[in-house]
Amino acid sequence: MIPVIGRLQRQRDVTVLLHSRSLVNKSVVGILKTHRFARQIAGEELSVTETMPFLQALTTLDLGPSQIDIGMLAETYKSDDRGLGVAEFTARPVEGATGERKIERAAPRDVVLYGFGRIGRLLARLLIEKAGSGNGLRLRAVVVRKTAGQDLVKRASLLRRDSVHGQFQGTIIVDEENDTLIANGNAIRFIYSDDPATVDYTAYGINDAILVDNTGRWRDRAGLSQHLRPGVAKVVLTAPGKGDVPNIVHGVNHETIKPDERIISCASCTTNAIVPPLKAMADEFGVESGHVETVHSFTNDQNLLDNYHKSDRRGRSAPLNMVLTETGAASAVAKALPDLGAKISGSSIRVPVPDVSIAILNLRLSRGTSREEVLTHLREVSLTSPLRRQIDFTTSADAVSSDFVGSRHASIVDAGATKVDGDNAILYLWYDNEFGYSCQVVRVVQHVSGVEYPTFPAPLG
């Protein structure tokens, strides 16, 4: 399977998925573990001997750039009663990616990262990982403030080794003379600047770029407009936007982005975690009101030890305390789901773990239901709906936060913790507030860049 998946990706820009999980660059063990996820569907694993024929069938088709889910093909084939062979069956659901219907390979789109903190470095890893994979994004530059002594060497070290997310997969070469890191063959120029309004990106050969501001320093249109310099076409913010800046949660409202909109916010990690399952619940059961309580890992915004902080409580030591604080996620729901109508309140507790958080979503529904009905619905949403890249689902009885480090989903429904009593439902939603959120940001960047390739078979719903 591995060489076939590799050839499809390199030669045709086809990313092979299995229930929304990419199989590109997966090891043997990785592919087998991904197949085990199919136990969520019918209580039994999906065998590689079942999916391999569909993979072979794809190689016989005139495919264009796309993402194709062989897990969905295999599962729908089981329930098909037309008596078709695998090759004949496969051709129909992926016909939108073949022949005259296939799209052309997108030209690479330049991306600039403004800031290189926790989210910035994870975005860099994702963009480097995806280089040449058909998503059409090319990380060209990172803008940072100059620090004293071996700045580039130290930033390379932070990219290479991460205490939470592990080693960078590949090689990083430091070219101090040219202020450049070469990561897996990709040259990334470091531009030193204290003021976004002074940078001319065209001087570095960068044109029509998407700039991702991951500093959070500016959150309104006036501040973010400073980034609209020569060479930059659009600005994407990795924090909740203020004023009229659109707050986008990919999978929920990304299609509302106007083509001429130049400034976009990806909202917060918590907003991305709660909005997709909230939409899934509202679509099926209706939602009258709700409250979200987030138990959130500590962040660099807090102090390591007690010290002055402009915010209440956040000045107290992050690794030694549970810290009550506010969250803007509840109020951001209205921007992402303007038709919801339900009032959602929220609060947050920061706790002494470095990554992965959990949102407890307490909902009053429009109708009574049962725990089994809610879990069946959310399981199906995670597997076959347009939200399947946003919502994951786990039935593990002993799941804990560290199990979800590196999750690429916006949130993971904990089936075992779910509580339902008539019209009241309480969902426990795990989320990697660093990596899962960064994946959502990359999806938004792909969309606004016009290089988000279609997925086949089309999701249900």
Side-chain angles (χ1 to χ4, degrees):
M1 296 183 81
I2 290 173
V4 175
I5 292 167
R7 284 195 298 272
L8 284 170
Q9 189 260 339
R10 291 189 303 272
Q11 297 174 6
R12 306 191 194 181
D13 275 0
V14 173
T15 299
V16 178
L17 310 175
L18 191 126
H19 293 306
S20 79
R21 290 158 165 77
S22 173
L23 296 182
V24 176
N25 293 329
K26 280 280 200 303
S27 65
V28 171
V29 172
I31 289 176
L32 291 173
K33 287 182 70 174
T34 305
H35 277 73
R36 292 196 71 189
F37 177 76
R39 289 180 299 174
Q40 304 285 9
I41 302 171
E44 59 184 23
E45 295 179 20
L46 184 62
S47 169
V48 292
T49 60
E50 294 178 80
T51 56
M52 184 62 184
F54 296 92
L55 190 58
Q56 292 172 322
L58 294 179
T59 65
T60 67
L61 301 173
D62 181 24
L63 293 170
S66 57
Q67 299 183 98
I68 298 180
D69 195 319
I70 59 173
M72 283 195 68
L73 286 172
E75 290 300 331
T76 53
Y77 182 68
K78 288 180 182 179
S79 58
D80 187 81
D81 58 4
R82 292 174 294 172
L84 303 177
V86 169
E88 186 180 3
F89 173 85
T90 301
R92 185 67 179 270
V94 303
E95 62 184 0
T98 62
E100 295 181 356
R101 296 188 182 186
K102 67 182 181 182
I103 62 175
E104 296 299 320
R105 181 192 295 257
R109 186 71 178 269
D110 290 351
V111 178
V112 174
L113 297 179
Y114 196 94
F116 206 54
R118 297 298 300 154
I119 300 301
R121 292 194 296 274
L122 291 178
L123 290 173
R125 285 189 174 202
L126 285 165
L127 292 167
I128 294 164
E129 168 195 295
K130 294 176 181 294
S133 67
N135 74 350
L137 301 179
R138 178 174 58 181
L139 177 57
R140 295 293 309 279
V142 177
V143 184
V144 291
R145 289 179 292 181
K146 186 76 170 182
T147 59
Q150 291 192 303
D151 180 274
L152 194 59
V153 172
K154 291 181 178 180
R155 294 187 190 278
S157 181
L158 287 169
L159 180 61
R160 187 179 287 117
R161 303 175 185 87
D162 190 284
S163 300
V164 174
H165 300 283
Q167 297 280 333
F168 174 79
Q169 298 300 305
T171 61
I172 297 174
I173 299 170
V174 180
D175 180 358
E176 288 188 274
E177 184 178 348
N178 294 301
D179 293 329
T180 298
L181 294 184
I182 303 171
N184 291 354
N186 299 278
I188 307 164
R189 179 66 182 263
F190 275 68
I191 301 170
Y192 294 100
S193 175
D194 294 326
D195 183 358
T198 63
V199 184
D200 181 350
Y201 293 96
T202 60
Y204 302 92
I206 297 169
N207 292 284
D208 198 32
I210 308 296
L211 183 144
V212 183
D213 183 330
N214 53 87
T215 67
R217 184 177 175 185
W218 303 279
R219 293 169 56 188
D220 60 10
R221 188 173 295 275
L224 294 168
S225 293
Q226 297 177 84
H227 292 304
L228 294 173
R229 302 284 300 153
V232 171
K234 296 179 184 290
V235 177
V236 174
L237 171 66
T238 65
K242 294 183 177 181
D244 66 343
V245 174
N247 279 257
I248 301 301
V249 175
H250 191 276
V252 175
N253 67 337
H254 66 279
E255 292 184 354
T256 66
I257 301 173
K258 298 177 181 177
D260 60 350
E261 179 59 74
R262 303 189 70 189
I263 297 176
I264 299 153
S265 160
C266 290
S268 69
C269 56
T270 302
T271 303
N272 276 264
I274 66 173
V275 166
L278 183 56
K279 174 175 169 51
M281 292 295 288
D283 287 348
E284 181 67 19
F285 306 104
V287 172
E288 299 297 318
S289 62
H291 176 81
V292 61
E293 188 78 35
T294 69
V295 183
H296 199 291
S297 59
F298 63 76
T299 69
N300 273 329
D301 176 64
Q302 296 171 257
N303 289 334
L304 186 62
L305 293 172
D306 289 0
N307 207 345
Y308 172 81
H309 196 291
K310 63 181 181 179
S311 298
D312 295 337
R313 305 187 203 244
R314 292 196 188 191
R316 303 298 297 278
S317 173
L320 295 179
N321 294 288
M322 293 190 293
V323 179
L324 288 169
T325 187
E326 71 284 343
T327 176
S331 59
V333 167
K335 283 193 171 184
L337 290 173
D339 298 329
L340 180 64
K343 177 177 174 54
I344 306 294
S345 60
S347 53
S348 180
I349 306 170
R350 296 288 179 93
V351 295
V353 294
D355 187 32
V356 180
S357 305
I358 189 167
I360 305 167
L361 189 57
N362 192 333
L363 302 175
R364 185 165 67 88
L365 307 176
S366 299
R367 67 174 176 88
T369 183
S370 65
R371 183 173 182 272
E372 182 180 4
E373 185 183 10
V374 168
L375 290 179
T376 297
H377 172 63
L378 292 175
R379 181 188 294 112
E380 289 303 315
V381 166
S382 74
L383 292 169
T384 62
S385 83
L387 292 171
R388 61 187 179 181
R389 285 200 291 174
Q390 283 69 44
I391 300 176
D392 204 357
F393 190 92
T394 181
T395 56
S396 175
D398 56 358
V400 294
S401 60
S402 61
D403 296 334
F404 305 105
V405 172
S407 169
R408 295 179 182 239
H409 289 76
S411 63
I412 305 100
V413 176
D414 191 316
T418 301
K419 294 174 173 56
V420 179
D421 182 10
D423 64 355
N424 177 243
I426 304 175
L427 308 182
Y428 288 75
L429 308 166
W430 298 100
Y431 58 109
D432 185 329
N433 49 277
E434 293 185 336
F435 197 74
Y437 176 68
S438 296
C439 290
Q440 282 286 90
V441 173
V442 169
R443 291 169 189 140
V444 171
V445 173
Q446 286 178 283
H447 180 74
V448 300
S449 300
V451 296
E452 189 175 33
Y453 293 155
T455 300
F456 301 96
L460 304 177

